[in-house]
Amino acid sequence: MNRHHSKLTDWGLGHVSIKLNDKILDIGSGGGRTINKLAAMANAGKIYGIDYSEDSVAATRRTNARWIDIDRVEIQQGSVSHLPFGDKSFDLVTAVETHLFWPDLPNDFRQIFRVLKPGGQLLIVAEIYKGGKHLEGVRKKIFDKHLSANMNLLTPDEHRELFANAGFSNIQIFEEVDKGWVCGVGRK
């Protein structure tokens, strides 16, 4: 996960402004590489990670041990559907390749909206989406497999609608057409 999603993550993070003292939540921390990147970027802030998988939590903790030791990163097990954080806690929430698996997108986006500070942003990034160029050759087979697995594969317009219905404004959807990537950003 860490190596495979690195370029996608960098592309997505390029669409938001990260301040040195930001408080950031990464949802679906996987192997922990995004959290590591965020801790380096917001080098006076604090990064939180949450994942429903015990194995991913352990992997993220290993990847970010030095940040955890100096209290710059905190990782916990949990679900996007029931975020264990107070209202208006974060400047930025990121989700790289994870909203595809969330159990209840409308509720989950509202949960994120709740924990964002006024003016805070949500960034979602995925390497596959409905309507993307990836629908050719081998990528088409992968896409069809994801659809049959009931993943949340959305069009750019469906992404925009999901953000809007949760209360986000200044919504921007970016596509990296040659790669079939999509990125959504919304502000509270």
Side-chain angles (χ1 to χ4, degrees):
M1 271 185 287
N2 282 341
R3 275 184 273 121
H4 179 74
H5 295 150
S6 186
K7 289 180 182 176
L8 173 73
T9 301
D10 292 343
W11 174 75
L13 291 174
H15 295 291
V16 292
S17 174
I18 297 174
K19 297 179 193 77
L20 295 179
N21 62 345
D22 274 352
K23 187 174 176 185
I24 302 171
L25 171 62
D26 183 53
I27 298 174
S29 53
R33 183 68 183 265
T34 299
I35 288 175
N36 194 288
K37 289 177 185 234
L38 291 167
M41 295 169 83
N43 64 12
K46 181 132 184 195
I47 315 303
Y48 293 79
I50 189 167
D51 202 295
Y52 73 93
S53 164
E54 211 174 290
D55 291 339
S56 290
V57 168
T60 299
R61 286 179 175 153
R62 282 191 304 275
T63 300
N64 292 282
R66 69 182 177 105
W67 297 116
I68 292 168
D69 289 346
I70 60 171
D71 199 35
R72 292 274 326 291
V73 166
E74 186 177 310
I75 310 299
Q76 57 184 289
Q77 189 172 1
S79 170
V80 64
S81 297
H82 307 283
L83 291 173
F85 303 102
D87 296 355
K88 303 175 186 170
S89 296
F90 298 100
D91 300 292
L92 174 66
V93 174
T94 61
V96 178
E97 286 287 285
T98 63
H99 76 285
L100 306 170
F101 304 99
W102 294 352
D104 182 357
L105 284 174
N107 172 70
D108 301 340
F109 268 66
R110 285 190 302 274
Q111 275 288 306
I112 293 166
F113 191 84
R114 177 186 65 77
V115 302
L116 276 170
K117 295 176 182 177
Q121 291 186 292
L122 167 60
L123 167 73
I124 60 167
V125 185
E127 68 178 349
I128 189 168
Y129 65 101
K130 202 183 298 179
K133 182 179 178 179
H134 56 272
L135 293 180
E136 300 169 358
V138 174
R139 300 278 298 185
K140 170 90 169 92
K141 290 178 185 172
I142 293 169
F143 181 82
D144 290 342
K145 179 181 175 185
H146 288 320
L147 274 182
S148 67
N150 294 320
M151 290 177 66
N152 300 311
L153 295 172
L154 308 174
T155 66
D157 286 341
E158 289 170 331
H159 279 95
R160 185 180 314 284
E161 183 179 336
L162 195 56
F163 274 90
N165 289 343
F168 289 94
S169 62
N170 298 81
I171 301 161
Q172 296 177 288
I173 306 297
F174 303 94
E175 295 176 77
E176 182 65 44
V177 177
D178 289 340
K179 295 185 170 135
W181 296 349
V182 66
C183 169
V185 179
R187 186 174 299 279
K188 180 174 182 178

